Structures are given as C-alpha cells and as structure tokens.
Amino acid sequence: MADRRVTMAIEHWAARFTANGVDPADFTRVTSAIDSWDDWCAAWCRAAAEHEDLGRRALGDGRVLSGGSHLAQAAVYYHFAKFLFVQDLGQMREAHAAAVRCLNDALPHLSPPGERMEIPFGGATLAAVRRLPAGAGPHPVVVLIPGLDSAKEEFRATERLFLDRGLATVSVDGPGQGEAEYDLAIRPDWEAPGAAILDAVSAMPGIDPARIGVWGVSLGGYYAPRLASGDRRVRACIALCGPFSFGETWDQLPELTREAFRVRSKSATADQARLRADELTLAGRLGGLTAPLLVVAGRKDRIIPWQQARRLADEAAGPAEFLLLEEGGHGCANVSYRHRPYSADWMARQLSR
C-alpha cells in the first residue's frame, strides 16, 4: 500500500503531470512502483534519466530537433521529482540541477528556440526562458508565472499556445520558485520582483514593451494579478486557479503543499508559515487592477476553492471575465482543452490592440 503522501500526489496532480509533458504510460509505470514518499524523487529521476539519455544520443547523432525534445521532456520529469520533495533538500537540489541542465541544453534546439535569461533581483538572480515566435518583431509578450511547486521547466506546453498565436513568452522563476527558491523567500508583494522582470522584458530585442501580458497558475494566479495591480505596464492578465487570500485556504491544503510553503517561505515553524500565508492577499489591492483580466477556476478544485477566484473577478477595477469549469480540478489540467486555447486566444486579442 502506498503511503498517504504518494496517494495524495497522484490524486491531486496526475492530470497536471500528463498535461505538462509526462507521458501517461510513464506516469502509470513510475507511480505504480512507488510505495513510500521517500522514494518519489529517486523514482522520477530514474525515469528522467531515460529521456535524458535519449536526448544526449540524439544530439550526438546530429538529430537536434529530437534531442531538444527529449531533453525538454527529461527536464519536466526531473522537475516533478523535486516539485514537493522538500523533506530531503539534498535529493531535491540534485534533481533540480538536472532539470535546469536538461532544459538549458534543450533550449537552442526547440522550435522556436529558447534563450536563458538571468534577471538581477534582491541580491540574487531570477532565471527565465525567453522564446520568440516566427515572423518579424517587435512581438507582444506574455510573462508566465509559476505557483508554489511549479517552475519554468514545466511550461513548454503553455508556451506553445502563446507562441502559435504570435506572442513571445518569458517563463520565469520568481522568489521562492525554481532556481530562486534557495536564495529568495516567497513574498506577497509581487509588484517588486515583477517590476524587475518587466524592466528586463521591456529591454529585450524583438519585444514590444507596450504589449506585455502576464499569466499565472495556482499561487502564480495570485502573483499575476498582484503584479498587474501595481504596474501599469501590464496590458492583460490571466489568473488560473489562484487564491484571493492564501491564508484562508491554509487548513484545507494538502500537507505536502503546506510543508513546501513552509520551506520556500523560509519559515522556521508551521505556525510561522501559517502567518506568512496570511500575508498573501489581494484585499485592498484590486482597485489598481485596471487591465483586462481573465480568471479561470475549477468547481472541483480541492486546493484553492473556486469562490476565491470569483472574488478576484468581482473586485477587479477593470474589465474581468470569469470562466468556471464545472469538472475542473486544481489548475484545471484535467480539462486543459476547455481553457488553454481559449486563454491564449483571449491574451492574443488583448495584446493586439
């Protein structure tokens, strides 16, 4: 019998894994062999290494498109090895380093190719991936913001939706996320790191600084509107299954999520983490959110109740659309076809004006 943490991870996030690059057969094969959460990271790293080997072999043979694809997929597997594995930071960091290595090596061979960026902030660095669509620029751009346990390595499928519609993408690891999680704690005031990110994005060649959108998922669905509420350079915002008040959701969060927040918020105790969670609120902020807003939520979300998203849409000062998916779980990854293309179309329309 698998322990409750393994069962919890499968029940809450299976659809997310397969929607974001894990082969469904691999997901079943790997998770069915894990009895203890202590084995989670190693099991996924072994599966990731298979895809990394395929990528290295392909590059060695000169099959660069296949090589890039295999390595980008390996990065996703390594990422999911570490995504909530905060009880063993040594294993987590080793898996994370492998994810970063694979994605960095994949970037030149993706179609369109990607470029690694490093944005100074708070005495540390925010790592990001920039990709430009086909055609002459300058291009409108969408900044993709992860949540508590996601990172830029997970966003290839989402990037593709925007790229196909002529929008550039910048997928970024913010404070407490991905490569920044070791030096910078989760913070509520995302207008601060967001300003540094938008400064860097605005200065990029091939980018139209007057047409910037932001998209965020889960806790990133808090960060994105928080940024948009404090920076008028954001022309449009999408919040996918984000909280209005993270503290209000605390008691129903999975234990894996609460512990990851404790570690990534640099809280010494669970009680301190609970107090830090209360700081992540949009109360009193949404009078400044005047850019068009699309809020997507799932009625069956067991992590962030859909009513939190409803409140965000209701209190935003600017035009807001609320898309509630009846069968959607957290992140609505189980019904991605019902919101991903629509969201990309919506963003392309807003940034074409």
Side-chain angles (χ1 to χ4, degrees), residues 18-272:
T18 56
N20 289 333
V22 172
D23 185 275
D26 277 350
F27 183 83
T28 300
R29 173 174 63 90
V30 174
T31 57
S32 65
I34 301 174
D35 293 323
S36 168
W37 178 251
D38 293 339
D39 299 327
W40 180 274
C41 187
W44 277 104
C45 283
R46 287 192 296 271
E50 297 174 20
H51 291 274
E52 182 177 5
D53 181 64
L54 289 171
R56 304 290 177 199
R57 289 172 180 263
L59 291 183
D61 291 342
R63 296 180 290 112
V64 294
L65 189 61
S66 293
S69 178
H70 285 306
L71 288 174
Q73 189 170 32
V76 174
Y77 284 53
Y78 282 123
H79 162 70
F80 281 126
K82 60 80 59 179
F83 82 129
L84 287 169
F85 204 74
V86 295
Q87 86 275 12
D88 187 332
L89 295 180
Q91 276 197 71
M92 190 191 81
R93 291 189 77 142
E94 186 175 351
H96 189 188
V100 172
R101 176 187 70 231
C102 285
L103 181 57
N104 285 344
D105 291 347
L107 289 178
H109 311 298
L110 300 180
S111 179
E115 179 183 354
R116 179 180 172 86
M117 300 170 49
E118 294 186 352
I119 303 167
F121 177 76
T125 298
L126 306 180
V129 170
R130 180 187 71 164
R131 299 177 73 190
L132 299 179
H139 303 283
V141 61
V142 185
V143 177
L144 277 61
I145 305 173
L148 171 62
D149 53 57
S150 51
K152 66 185 182 306
E153 284 74 28
E154 196 180 332
F155 283 167
R156 302 296 79 69
T158 305
E159 289 170 356
R160 170 55 61 187
L161 291 160
F162 294 118
L163 290 164
D164 284 348
R165 289 159 177 80
L167 308 179
T169 59
V170 175
S171 298
V172 64
D173 289 338
Q177 301 171 320
E179 293 186 61
E181 70 181 88
Y182 310 106
D183 297 321
L184 300 173
I186 288 171
R187 56 189 295 161
D189 58 338
W190 240 77
E191 60 273 16
I197 294 164
L198 296 190
D199 287 346
V201 168
S202 297
M204 292 176 187
I207 296 297
D208 182 350
R211 293 188 291 166
I212 299 175
V214 295
W215 172 97
V217 59
S218 191
L219 197 53
Y222 161 83
Y223 296 142
R226 176 73 189 234
L227 168 56
S229 74
D231 198 314
R232 293 300 178 91
R233 289 177 291 180
V234 176
R235 287 277 307 278
C237 175
I238 297 175
L240 172 56
C241 294
F244 183 96
S245 169
F246 192 58
E248 290 178 5
T249 73
W250 185 260
D251 291 337
Q252 73 181 59
L253 294 174
E255 64 179 275
L256 290 170
T257 300
R258 291 196 299 268
E259 180 61 7
F261 181 86
R262 185 193 68 78
V263 171
R264 291 171 179 153
S265 64
K266 313 293 186 194
S267 300
T269 66
D271 288 342
Q272 184 181 4

